[in-house]
Amino acid sequence: MNIAQVSQKLLPWYQEHRRILPWRESPTPYHVWISEIMLQQTRVEAAKEYYLRFIRSLPDVFALADVSEQKLMKLWQGLGYYSRVRNLQKAARAVVEEFDGLLPGSKAELMTLPGIGPYTAGAIASIAFHQPVIAPDGNAYRIFSRLLREEGFVEEGKTRKRLEEAMKQALDVEHPGAFNQALMDLGATICLPNGKPLCERCPLQALCPSAFREDATSFPRKKPKKARTREQFTVLLLECGGKYLLQKRTKKGLLAELWGFPMEEGHWSEEQIQEKYQAWTSDECIPLEVENLPPARHIFSHIEWEMIGYRVSLPHSCAIPEGKDMHERGQWATPDEIVDSYPIPSAYRAYLSLLR
Ligand code: SF4
């Protein structure tokens, strides 16, 4: 295959078929950065709305550096992977302090910022600063795996290096941003990640040894996946005087420092719930009302939560026991306050919809 011909075929196709996306209208370094971080975890269609809302609220790096954590998390709610938005703010603060509020233009400097890896740095440097660098994302690795019929596992460093070398050879140094975005668009619309590639519409078909072959979908070669770990929890909607108890999760682990509903490990029986939470009321003569809620499931990348739930209506005389972790990190709020002001991760969505 003549690698130099890749960009000759790719760029005219991109000019004609490029997707119209809000962050492409004004590709400032800040806009490219925010969109690329969002797109790491979200489909383009879904990301558009989040992106526009985010940019309206936080139009520049100074606003992002200054915003409260709660507001930032609220803007990110539904996108998941909250460590990414925390890194986004850390990086914004570093840009304000170390670079006078201007994102640096070189890939190497960009990679010194929290949360910016080779792909995001390549995308910002090439699209916003016209630097002749590649932006190797999943689309680029998939397309080049098929072009090269690369046999190595794509998760392995040495395989990625081979693919990146080919990308560098193919890169149009005059139009690096267009080249990288063309690969993103080709991967999203033609050389698909799931399902048969649409080789009949692909500008690279004459160059590609995988074109129209049944086994094209077997590239890139991937290591067998490990099974997800299953974890069981009991989620509690603890209600008292029209308010529900929220709990800030611990500083480490899954959904760290985010607000959620109290949970117990394992699947608890109604009797166990009665016994534990009866102690929260100062009047032991008033029984709790415990209602079974439907089970729910949430899948993270490596873990799956299997949840059951109860609504526990506590009498007005209830209190969070002193000295407990729940007390330190607990907060009562009405359903409206929870929906409007608290960033509740989508893992709790099934129970969030049951607030009344
Ligand atoms: Fe992918 Fe087919 Fe294009 Fe090859 S010809 S890059 S397999 S869509």
Side-chain angles (χ1 to χ4, degrees):
M1 182 191 45
N2 185 347
I3 201 93
Q5 285 184 359
V6 171
S7 65
Q8 288 168 18
K9 299 206 176 277
L10 199 54
L11 293 190
W13 172 85
Y14 178 64
Q15 289 313 323
E16 201 179 333
H17 297 281
R18 66 198 289 270
R19 292 174 296 174
I20 307 298
L21 301 170
W23 45 89
R24 287 184 176 170
E25 283 171 20
S26 146
T28 65
Y30 182 67
H31 290 168
V32 176
W33 176 36
I34 301 300
S35 66
E36 289 301 337
I37 298 292
M38 284 186 177
L39 289 170
Q40 284 173 17
Q41 68 220 35
T42 310
R43 285 178 307 106
V44 164
E45 281 310 311
K48 283 182 188 172
E49 200 182 314
Y50 283 103
Y51 170 81
L52 291 170
R53 196 177 53 152
F54 194 96
I55 294 295
R56 262 197 304 273
S57 283
L58 306 174
D60 54 37
V61 77
F62 296 99
L64 173 56
D66 271 355
V67 69
S68 72
E69 185 181 344
Q70 187 126 334
K71 185 170 175 198
L72 183 62
M73 293 298 158
K74 193 71 196 161
L75 284 169
W76 205 258
Q77 182 177 0
L79 283 169
Y81 297 95
Y82 290 85
S83 60
R84 290 189 184 160
V85 69
R86 289 207 174 91
N87 278 332
L88 208 54
Q89 187 171 49
K90 276 189 208 156
R93 288 176 177 162
V95 170
V96 169
E97 281 165 24
E98 295 164 33
F99 297 97
D100 294 330
L102 297 172
L103 272 153
S106 79
K107 189 170 174 178
E109 277 181 308
L110 285 163
M111 282 174 62
T112 64
L113 296 169
I116 298 192
Y119 165 70
T120 309
I124 300 169
S126 64
I127 299 168
F129 294 104
H130 314 292
Q131 295 293 309
V133 291
I134 57 167
D137 72 342
N139 292 310
Y141 286 122
R142 181 171 61 262
I143 294 164
F144 276 82
S145 293
R146 292 174 182 173
L147 286 173
L148 302 180
R149 295 183 68 80
E150 168 59 57
E151 289 293 344
F153 289 127
V154 72
E155 298 88 349
E156 288 177 350
K158 55 182 193 269
T159 307
R160 289 187 172 226
K161 218 166 161 210
R162 277 200 294 275
L163 294 170
E164 286 163 21
E165 275 310 313
M167 290 175 212
K168 283 179 193 164
Q169 286 176 32
L171 177 70
D172 181 330
V173 294
E174 298 292 323
H175 306 98
F179 175 83
N180 287 326
Q181 290 176 99
L183 288 176
M184 294 172 199
D185 285 14
L186 189 76
T189 60
I190 305 278
C191 197
L192 305 168
N194 304 309
K196 220 171 145 199
L198 309 176
C199 303
E200 65 283 0
R201 287 167 45 192
C202 179
L204 306 181
Q205 60 170 260
L207 304 175
C208 180
S210 301
F212 304 105
R213 285 180 62 165
E214 281 299 313
D215 69 354
T217 49
S218 69
F219 297 98
R221 305 285 199 222
K222 288 184 181 162
K223 287 183 176 172
K225 280 194 183 149
K226 281 191 201 148
R228 282 197 195 93
T229 310
R230 290 183 177 191
E231 295 181 347
Q232 296 189 326
F233 291 105
T234 301
V235 177
L236 296 159
L237 300 187
L238 295 173
E239 182 185 24
C240 183
K243 294 188 171 186
Y244 285 87
L245 186 65
L246 293 177
Q247 189 183 19
K248 204 169 201 187
R249 293 176 58 83
T250 50
K251 288 192 175 163
K252 292 219 168 110
L254 215 53
L255 307 179
E257 294 264 42
L258 293 173
W259 290 100
F261 298 112
M263 299 207 297
E264 302 290 356
E265 276 182 36
H267 284 172
W268 283 36
S269 67
E270 204 172 313
E271 291 69 35
Q272 284 174 296
I273 297 291
Q274 281 278 3
E275 200 173 315
K276 173 162 179 178
Y277 291 96
Q278 189 69 53
W280 285 33
T281 168
S282 52
D283 186 346
E284 290 182 13
C285 302
I286 307 178
L288 311 176
E289 277 179 40
V290 180
E291 177 195 346
N292 269 293
L293 300 175
R297 181 182 299 275
H298 187 79
I299 296 173
F300 299 91
S301 50
H302 300 103
I303 294 176
E304 185 169 338
W305 279 3
E306 295 174 335
M307 296 171 278
I308 62 164
Y310 296 96
R311 186 195 315 276
V312 182
S313 301
L314 298 152
H316 282 261
S317 55
C318 66
I320 309 173
E322 287 282 345
K324 296 266 171 108
D325 185 50
M326 190 85 84
H327 181 72
E328 305 288 323
R329 305 173 72 81
Q331 181 76 50
W332 294 99
T334 64
D336 283 348
E337 287 166 343
I338 294 173
V339 170
D340 293 342
S341 309
Y342 287 86
I344 309 290
S346 51
Y348 298 102
R349 189 180 292 144
Y351 295 102
L352 190 62
S353 67
L354 297 175
L355 297 179
R356 60 185 179 203

